[in-house]
Amino acid sequence: MTDTLQQSTQDLASQAASTDDVAAVAAAWVAALGAALERGSAPELEALFAEDASWRDFMAFTWDFSHKIGRAELVPRLLELAKAAEARDFRLNTDQPAFVFNGEIAAFFDFTTRDRVDRGHVRLSTATGRPLATVFQSQVEGLQGHPERIRHHRPTGKVHGNVPNRTRWSADRQKQLAFEDSEPAVLVLGAGHNGLSIAARLQALDVPTLVIDREARVGDTWRKRYASLALHSSVYGDHLPYLPLPPTWTEHTPKDKFAEFLESYVTLLDLNVWTSTTFVNAHYDESAQRWTVRVRREDGSIRELHPRHFVVAAGLYGNPRIPAIKGLETFTGVYTHSDAFQDGDRHPGKTALVVGAGVSGHEIAHDLAEHGTDVTLLQRSSTYVVDFPTYHKIWAGLFHEDTTVPPDYADQMAYALPNALSDELQKKLVKLAAKDDQELLDALVARGFKLDWGADGGGIYGSIAVGKDSYHINIGAAQLIADGTIKVKQGVELVEIRDGRTGVFSDGSELQLDLIVFATGYDWLWASIRPTLGTAAARIDKAYGRAADGEYANTWRRSAQPGLWFGTGFIRMARYYSKFMALQIKAIEEGIEPVDPGEDPAWAARAGFAPHDRADSDAVTPALG
């Protein structure tokens, strides 16, 4: 996750440059880039990049994600791929003017490759007297000859004129949704923000797509969460593809409101979603290159579907996890997992223990305390804490009320750095945030709360990258801990329940309890899905996390199993990355891409892939030089 950049408010005048000057510098640099690539000139290209420049590519040159760090590695690879992909027509983007960002010129440019329409982003430093690129990014925007059905290419709706035996729109939609006499090309598991984002992108590309979800209504996974939950991002980055939120939308979105948005999104974008539908199992036919997926409908009937692509977009986590505690079954109060917990106002005057000090643990303790419950938070290890205003000032500087950068371009900037460089940036930002939050953090420590700085010092995003959720974005719970309203037991475990109501801890201390809430996380979803996919699952070592190449493992890109895709992450991540998955699937559907590159070595070589020996692995990884 690299959406970690602060937007500078520096006056252009302080840069001794007008808007026209900034645009002229950017345009000249882009023109020089195009000329150097056309001539295949390494010296000319080297003259355009700083020594420590980075390049991140999202399927503009090869059909994968890749990156290079340092001019010495970047230049030869860019020359190689630009020639292979027939990159041309480099020109400054006119929809988003160049501007000054953190002391550098930020600009966007357009270009094309053999079968793609592309857009790039560059940040130029003029510290040496001539513009040098420090950050360079490129991404596919579309397929030539296959535009998205948006704006000038939008669906017709009612066709005017004389149409014999005209059918009605509502009847047509019901037929599309039923898939009674057709098969979806893509089956998506999960109607949350990830699944709906990819479905919307595919629909805009005319790829027949069906989403299934076990809940009765789209959004129920949010509706059923604890009542006090709200999105931790703010309104400026919370929308899904094609549908910005209105200017009247609340700044902080309650979970029920977001659930309603997801359900409305399905209706407004005419997405095909089957609710109350449970995934049973799936088998991949290597010869037919299709899946047989069995799903159970609301009436108990089993339906077999045969998509070419199966997208697992049900999030990272599966079943709730409750630790084994001696005597828990004898507890005469109420105990529940945070997944099933609802309102904090149901327990006034009671004594509660919340086990777990991540996001859910803090917010449930906060809710209980606000409604008169005597709450103790059990922090078993340590937690990274950042105050909400600090988090948004430092990590979401491109997404705010007065930004001049539209979300589509802000997303591109936010994901411009290779993950390795973003990891180092995270560490710096964590230290910067700690200075702003010093008073709050000191108060937490004084109450016995144990802080950490996230996995490898990377804060929230560092922790998420390795599958940890021991972090908290404070919206009030930390102040209640600091003033003693929420008590803390630190570094111990709840080991036993005695006499129906007595909680016994590993240090021998005891606490009389009426309520226990286990905010102890979930099992990995992949662990529960793996057994349902037969032999195909053997090729997948993990979904999400980091792959050997530093990009996300098997996620939003081809996985090691042809036809199996994974999509997961935050809302902004889903909005951004879903574009690339959808375009790659569309390319496969149109015959631009093979279903399995490993079976076509000639294609793999042209596209910049290195097929593995299939005796060792069925995966195909990008050849990074």
Side-chain angles (χ1 to χ4, degrees):
M1 183 71 66
T2 58
D3 48 346
T4 56
L5 302 169
Q6 286 182 277
Q7 185 170 14
S8 172
T9 57
Q10 296 178 37
D11 188 347
L12 288 178
S14 71
Q15 302 296 314
S18 69
T19 300
D20 290 341
D21 292 334
V22 168
V25 170
W29 188 93
V30 172
L33 171 71
L37 291 175
E38 181 179 358
R39 288 190 281 268
S41 171
E44 290 181 38
L45 201 58
E46 288 171 354
L48 298 175
F49 288 89
E51 185 177 0
D52 60 352
S54 65
W55 171 32
R56 196 173 189 192
D57 179 59
F58 293 88
M59 300 186 184
F61 292 89
T62 71
W63 280 109
D64 205 343
F65 308 141
S66 62
H67 61 271
K68 288 293 181 184
I69 299 174
R71 182 173 59 198
E73 292 190 4
L74 184 161
V75 167
R77 185 58 170 163
L78 180 55
L79 283 171
E80 175 191 0
L81 292 184
K83 180 179 179 180
E86 301 173 15
R88 57 192 179 277
D89 300 330
F90 287 83
R91 60 205 179 279
L92 191 67
N93 179 281
T94 56
D95 292 331
Q96 172 57 47
F99 61 101
V100 173
F101 179 84
N102 285 349
E104 298 183 328
I105 295 174
F108 296 86
F109 57 92
D110 302 312
F111 65 105
T112 61
T113 46
R114 184 189 305 107
D115 48 27
R116 276 156 272 189
V117 177
D118 308 288
R119 190 173 73 205
H121 168 61
V122 65
R123 292 207 279 276
L124 302 171
S125 170
T126 57
T128 63
R130 59 190 177 93
L132 295 176
T134 59
V135 176
F136 183 71
Q137 188 263 11
S138 50
Q139 65 184 47
V140 60
E141 284 291 299
L143 295 176
Q144 294 187 34
H146 303 282
E148 285 182 296
R149 299 293 299 276
I150 61 175
R151 302 185 66 192
H152 298 295
H153 303 285
R154 69 177 70 235
T156 304
K158 180 178 180 178
V159 177
H160 291 178
N162 180 29
V163 181
N165 301 312
R166 181 193 296 270
T167 58
R168 306 304 180 194
W169 176 86
S170 57
D172 292 341
R173 277 294 299 132
Q174 287 301 314
K175 183 177 180 180
Q176 293 167 3
L177 179 60
F179 284 99
E180 289 180 350
D181 54 5
S182 64
E183 294 282 355
V186 182
L187 179 66
V188 180
L189 175 61
H193 58 269
N194 293 295
L196 296 183
S197 292
I198 186 62
R201 298 280 192 190
L202 288 165
Q203 172 139 314
L205 291 166
D206 277 336
V207 178
T209 301
L210 171 64
V211 183
I212 62 171
D213 196 283
R214 66 184 178 184
E215 300 292 349
R217 292 174 61 190
V218 172
D220 273 356
T221 52
W222 286 90
R223 289 187 190 92
K224 293 180 178 180
R225 297 296 304 279
Y226 53 91
S228 62
L229 177 63
L231 299 186
H232 295 104
S233 48
S234 60
V235 61
Y236 319 107
D238 282 347
H239 64 276
L240 301 190
Y242 313 119
L243 193 63
L245 299 174
T248 57
W249 197 267
T250 56
E251 183 174 1
H252 310 300
T253 305
K255 56 98 176 179
D256 293 314
K257 187 174 180 66
F258 189 63
E260 297 298 313
F261 169 70
L262 293 180
E263 192 168 49
S264 300
Y265 188 79
V266 170
T267 301
L268 293 173
L269 273 68
D270 298 332
L271 304 184
N272 300 317
V273 179
W274 289 358
T275 53
S276 299
T277 301
T278 305
F279 168 69
V280 178
N281 55 36
H283 168 74
Y284 187 71
D285 187 324
E286 298 281 354
S287 58
Q289 295 184 323
R290 277 187 180 271
W291 291 91
T292 296
V293 182
R294 300 174 72 244
V295 301
R296 180 176 291 106
R297 301 303 308 277
E298 184 175 13
D299 62 4
S301 63
I302 298 294
R303 173 77 180 269
E304 279 195 359
L305 300 163
H306 302 91
R308 279 180 290 275
H309 311 272
F310 180 38
V311 181
V312 178
L316 285 175
Y317 305 113
N319 296 322
R321 187 171 57 233
I322 294 180
I325 295 171
K326 183 179 178 181
L328 182 60
E329 71 281 0
T330 69
F331 186 56
T332 58
V334 175
Y335 76 89
T336 182
H337 190 274
S338 59
D339 186 70
F341 180 83
Q342 286 297 307
D343 290 334
D345 62 0
R346 299 179 184 180
H347 311 277
K350 303 293 186 180
T351 300
L353 177 72
V354 178
V355 182
V359 174
S360 297
H362 274 84
E363 294 192 351
I364 289 171
H366 183 184
D367 190 24
L368 288 165
E370 284 185 331
H371 291 93
T373 305
D374 181 3
V375 187
T376 298
L377 183 69
L378 177 56
Q379 185 195 33
R380 298 173 296 170
S381 54
S382 56
T383 310
Y384 173 66
V385 176
V386 60
D387 207 20
F388 184 90
T390 303
Y391 174 73
H392 280 274
K393 181 181 75 170
I394 292 178
W395 276 276
L398 288 166
F399 301 90
H400 58 85
E401 192 75 73
D402 300 315
T403 184
T404 58
V405 184
D408 189 39
Y409 292 89
D411 286 343
Q412 187 171 0
M413 293 183 69
Y415 288 97
L417 285 180
N419 284 329
L421 294 183
S422 177
D423 290 346
E424 294 306 309
L425 176 60
Q426 298 295 335
K427 298 174 186 178
K428 296 177 182 178
L429 297 179
V430 165
K431 292 179 180 178
L432 186 64
K435 291 182 180 179
D436 280 7
D437 292 344
Q438 192 65 57
E439 183 178 350
L440 174 64
L441 300 180
D442 287 346
L444 289 175
V445 171
R447 290 290 180 179
F449 192 91
K450 186 175 181 180
L451 297 170
D452 66 33
W453 308 112
D456 198 27
I460 294 173
Y461 298 113
S463 296
I464 291 172
V466 297
K468 296 181 64 177
D469 57 3
S470 54
Y471 61 86
H472 175 56
I473 301 173
N474 174 53
I475 58 171
Q479 279 86 0
L480 294 178
I481 293 171
D483 68 20
T485 301
I486 296 175
K487 305 176 184 67
V488 174
K489 288 187 73 67
Q490 204 288 319
V492 298
E493 298 280 355
L494 177 64
V495 295
E496 185 179 357
I497 300 295
R498 290 180 188 163
D499 304 323
R501 289 295 178 100
T502 304
V504 181
F505 298 90
S506 55
D507 63 353
S509 62
E510 297 181 354
L511 187 64
Q512 294 298 116
L513 298 171
D514 302 303
L515 170 69
I516 306 173
V517 181
F518 291 98
T520 45
Y522 301 80
D523 295 326
W524 283 101
L525 179 67
W526 176 234
S528 60
I529 289 181
R530 180 191 291 271
T532 69
L533 298 180
T535 57
R539 298 176 179 176
I540 307 297
D541 56 348
K542 61 180 176 179
Y544 202 66
R546 298 287 172 79
D549 65 357
E551 301 290 343
Y552 289 109
N554 293 306
T555 305
W556 298 117
R557 63 203 293 205
R558 285 186 185 272
S559 77
Q561 166 60 52
L564 180 61
W565 306 78
F566 295 88
T568 192
F570 297 111
I571 297 169
R572 270 190 267 156
M573 187 178 186
R575 183 176 64 227
Y576 182 69
Y577 274 88
S578 60
K579 174 190 296 186
F580 309 121
M581 179 192 285
L583 286 169
Q584 189 166 34
I585 288 175
K586 176 67 172 179
I588 293 171
E589 290 296 292
E590 296 297 334
I592 297 169
E593 276 247 289
V595 174
D596 183 0
E599 294 184 349
D600 189 347
W603 177 92
R606 290 195 305 272
F609 282 86
H612 289 281
D613 182 347
R614 292 183 67 84
D616 296 328
S617 172
D618 288 279
V620 178
T621 57
L624 295 179

